[in-house]
Amino acid sequence: MTVPAIRLEHVGKSFALDGGKQFTALSDIDLSIGKGEFVALLGPSGCGKSTILRLVAALEAPSSGRVSIEGADPQALSRSHRLGVAFQDHALLPWLDVRANVALPFQVAGKKVDTARVEELIRLVGLSGFEKARPRQLSGGMRQRASIARALALQPEVLLLDEPFGALDAVTRRQMNVELQRIWSAQRITTLLVTHSVDEALFLADRVIVMSGRPGRIIRDITVPFERPRKPSVMRDPAFHQLVDELTLALEPEGEAE
Amino acid sequence: MTARSDGLQRFMLGLVGIGLFLGMWQVIGVYRLAGLTWPPLTDVLAFITDPSKQTLFGRAITASFSAVITGYGLGVVAGIALAMLGRVVAVLKPGLDRLIAVIHAIPLVALAPLFMVAANRDATPPSIAALGVFYMIYVATTSGLNAASATHRDVFTALGASPVTRFMRLELPAALPAIVSGMKLAIPVAFIGAIVGEWFGASRGLGLLMVSAMQNFQIPLLWSAVLIVTASSLALFGLMSLVERLTYGRYQ
């Protein structure tokens, strides 16, 4: 493996609940993600996969252990505007049009808006012609495209995607997966994708990390063997199906699997 | 299409309601159903439009309106400014909240005589108006500045936004609908403040006109002053409702 871009060492995270109880979301997580690697975190809801992403984004601090990005504190990455994020809730600003939303990271970073870059990204995510549309005038899929374009605006070193297509219907979701694969292949940014869809994880990622919940821990770490660029036809490959079955089984709660 | 016809229907029903109200006013007045102190609407309108009364009303309207505008402007600016200060300097927030709650707990009417003796008597109407408006705008802005969603905040944190950028590009725009709603609700408050202030002895204004008309049993004059104040307040409230609708359309 190459030099790790993202590293989690013995990371634990617990939250205080009402009534003084502690809820352990993550316990003893060890994870290394190489530079330019696309890693998918797969697991049932509540397994702590989003918590890992929030730790990497420096939106939460670990209760124990250490999170580092290129050897430094994760905050250093966001403070120097080298992090891109997209969430399940597109989180576009409703008062700005698509172009202004995609240009937002430049303004937040205090940089001059690179209009050529903004136009290029809008074209890349297939939103040409919708530059002046406001988020509420767009469909769910289009909002997510705009949200991903915004995440890519500053050519980030790390891209974090938290269920970006979780709220979309199955057909749109598959289409967005194909497009994200195309966009990612053009940029090859170190990416961490949180998802509960086995197909999505296998189609997009170089490595799939399977987690189980309460407390969240890693139970499987598999390398996806398919060549890039991947075409949708890969999803009909028998090897793909076999991996889907294997991971689906791994996701089943212990004790209930036969 | 249905939304439009719904809107049209509501508008028509509203017109019918206003028509019924004005009709009843007229009928009660014409047949003296509520005694001599209830003139028909047409008498009041004739009184207002009477050329010989123009200077009287003109002076009173100018005085009251400048009190309303000054009080409203001061209240809006101070309300937004202090709410922003409480946001930026977090240490001040609990103290500001408490101080403003205490000021609001004192009835404005009780403060008016104090203003009268402590300040210039013509400064009382705009001061009372400003206090009422200020409280409303402070509360609206404070809650508006908390309106940005958790995910929006996360995006700004992940993008490495400075506190100033976060405030200017997220919190302030997100607060705008709440601020505009506050500004709409503050319109009648500004009128109440100005009129109450004038009752306590301003040298001119519609409030003064009301008090002296009441004491001298000048019934058409009294009703005219009330009608002018009510119509102006309603018109400005309607205008702000329009602004509010435009803001909500854009910012939510």
Side-chain angles (χ1 to χ4, degrees):
Chain A
M1 197 197 289
T2 46
V3 186
I6 301 173
R7 180 127 179 71
L8 281 81
E9 296 162 274
H10 307 294
V11 167
K13 176 73 185 170
S14 36
F15 296 96
L17 297 177
D18 292 338
K21 283 186 189 163
Q22 289 275 317
F23 169 71
T24 310
L26 294 174
S27 107
D28 205 28
I29 299 284
D30 265 301
L31 177 64
S32 283
I33 299 173
K35 205 166 175 60
E37 200 178 14
F38 193 131
V39 171
L41 275 177
L42 186 64
S45 11
C47 72
K49 53 192 193 302
S50 290
T51 308
I52 292 189
L53 183 133
R54 293 179 64 82
L55 289 170
V56 174
L59 293 170
E60 309 270 1
S63 310
S64 61
R66 181 166 181 264
V67 180
S68 57
I69 296 171
E70 280 153 10
D73 193 75
Q75 279 199 348
L77 190 78
S78 52
R79 288 229 178 101
S80 56
H81 318 294
R82 290 179 294 146
L83 174 67
V85 289
F87 299 107
Q88 177 171 353
D89 168 6
H90 57 84
L92 297 169
L93 297 180
W95 52 86
L96 299 180
D97 61 16
V98 167
R99 184 184 279 134
N101 264 298
V102 176
L104 182 75
F106 286 98
Q107 293 164 327
V108 167
K111 293 178 182 166
K112 192 179 169 294
V113 177
D114 183 346
T115 39
R117 170 83 182 148
V118 171
E119 297 303 321
E120 182 206 323
L121 278 168
I122 290 173
R123 202 169 48 247
L124 185 71
V125 299
L127 282 178
S128 300
F130 293 94
E131 290 88 350
K132 288 194 173 151
R134 288 193 195 288
R136 65 196 196 111
Q137 296 168 306
L138 302 176
S139 67
M142 289 161 101
R143 287 178 200 156
Q144 286 305 341
R145 287 164 202 256
S147 170
I148 287 169
R150 178 179 65 186
L152 294 171
L154 294 177
Q155 299 189 299
E157 283 169 37
V158 173
L159 182 61
L160 302 175
L161 306 170
D162 190 359
E163 297 267 9
F165 312 128
L168 304 182
D169 62 89
V171 177
T172 315
R173 184 173 192 152
R174 180 157 294 204
Q175 194 187 342
M176 290 299 292
N177 283 339
V178 174
E179 301 221 11
L180 180 59
Q181 208 272 144
R182 174 178 60 81
I183 294 164
W184 186 81
S185 301
Q187 319 242 340
R188 299 245 172 191
I189 303 162
T190 310
T191 302
L192 183 60
L193 167 76
V194 164
T195 182
H196 56 245
S197 158
V198 177
D199 286 34
E200 187 168 277
L202 282 173
F203 180 68
L204 288 169
D206 299 315
R207 247 168 87 207
V208 178
I209 312 277
V210 185
M211 293 184 65
S212 88
R214 297 171 197 219
R217 60 206 156 80
I218 294 171
I219 52 170
R220 293 289 293 275
D221 183 342
I222 64 157
T223 304
V224 182
F226 310 109
E227 286 289 304
R228 288 190 191 272
R230 291 174 193 159
K231 294 202 176 67
S233 61
V234 81
M235 287 191 250
R236 290 190 290 275
D237 194 308
F240 191 89
H241 282 299
Q242 206 186 333
L243 278 171
V244 169
D245 290 345
E246 197 184 321
L247 291 181
T248 310
L249 194 68
L251 280 175
E252 280 183 36
E254 291 156 63
E256 286 174 38
E258 288 180 67
Chain B
M1 201 53 207
T2 42
R4 176 177 282 186
S5 59
D6 268 7
L8 189 70
Q9 195 185 2
R10 282 219 322 252
F11 182 71
M12 295 310 288
L13 283 173
L15 278 187
V16 171
I18 293 168
L20 274 174
F21 175 79
L22 296 178
M24 275 171 64
W25 177 348
Q26 181 71 7
V27 169
I28 292 170
V30 169
Y31 294 102
R32 300 276 160 84
L33 298 176
L36 289 171
T37 52
W38 187 304
L41 174 62
T42 42
D43 285 12
V44 178
L45 290 176
F47 193 87
I48 293 173
T49 47
D50 186 341
S52 69
K53 303 287 187 301
Q54 292 314 297
T55 17
L56 177 72
F57 283 128
R59 276 179 53 190
I61 287 171
T62 316
S64 293
F65 269 51
S66 63
V68 167
I69 292 165
T70 315
Y72 186 78
L74 281 174
V76 168
V77 170
I80 294 177
L82 275 181
M84 278 167 65
L85 183 72
R87 181 83 198 183
V88 177
V89 190
V91 196
L92 293 178
K93 178 91 171 43
L96 270 176
D97 281 354
R98 250 164 256 161
L99 173 69
I100 286 157
V102 167
I103 293 175
H104 182 66
I106 307 168
L108 281 180
V109 183
L111 284 175
L114 284 179
F115 274 102
M116 224 71 211
V117 290
N120 179 338
R121 49 199 250 134
D122 284 323
T124 303
S127 307
I128 302 282
L131 260 182
V133 171
F134 163 74
Y135 177 74
M136 199 138 257
I137 300 293
Y138 178 83
V139 171
T141 310
T142 307
S143 82
L145 287 174
N146 287 322
S149 76
T151 337
H152 279 143
R153 290 175 196 282
D154 284 349
V155 167
F156 271 72
T157 308
L159 289 173
S162 69
V164 177
T165 314
R166 180 191 295 269
F167 185 78
M168 294 307 290
R169 296 207 178 266
L170 176 63
E171 289 169 354
L172 203 53
L176 213 59
I179 296 175
V180 171
S181 289
M183 286 173 72
K184 178 185 83 171
L185 296 173
I187 295 263
V189 176
F191 275 89
I192 293 168
I195 299 301
V196 167
E198 285 170 356
W199 282 354
F200 283 90
S203 57
R204 56 172 74 88
L206 289 164
L208 177 72
L209 216 56
M210 283 176 202
V211 173
S212 78
M214 185 175 70
Q215 284 163 351
N216 297 303
F217 211 68
Q218 294 164 296
I219 298 305
L221 178 63
L222 175 59
W223 281 78
S224 300
V226 172
L227 184 63
I228 291 170
V229 170
T230 311
S232 323
S233 177
L234 279 177
L236 285 173
F237 188 80
L239 190 73
M240 282 308 294
S241 302
L242 213 65
V243 175
E244 184 189 34
R245 193 180 293 184
L246 291 174
T247 319
Y248 273 77
R250 168 132 199 214
Y251 283 83
Q252 280 199 331

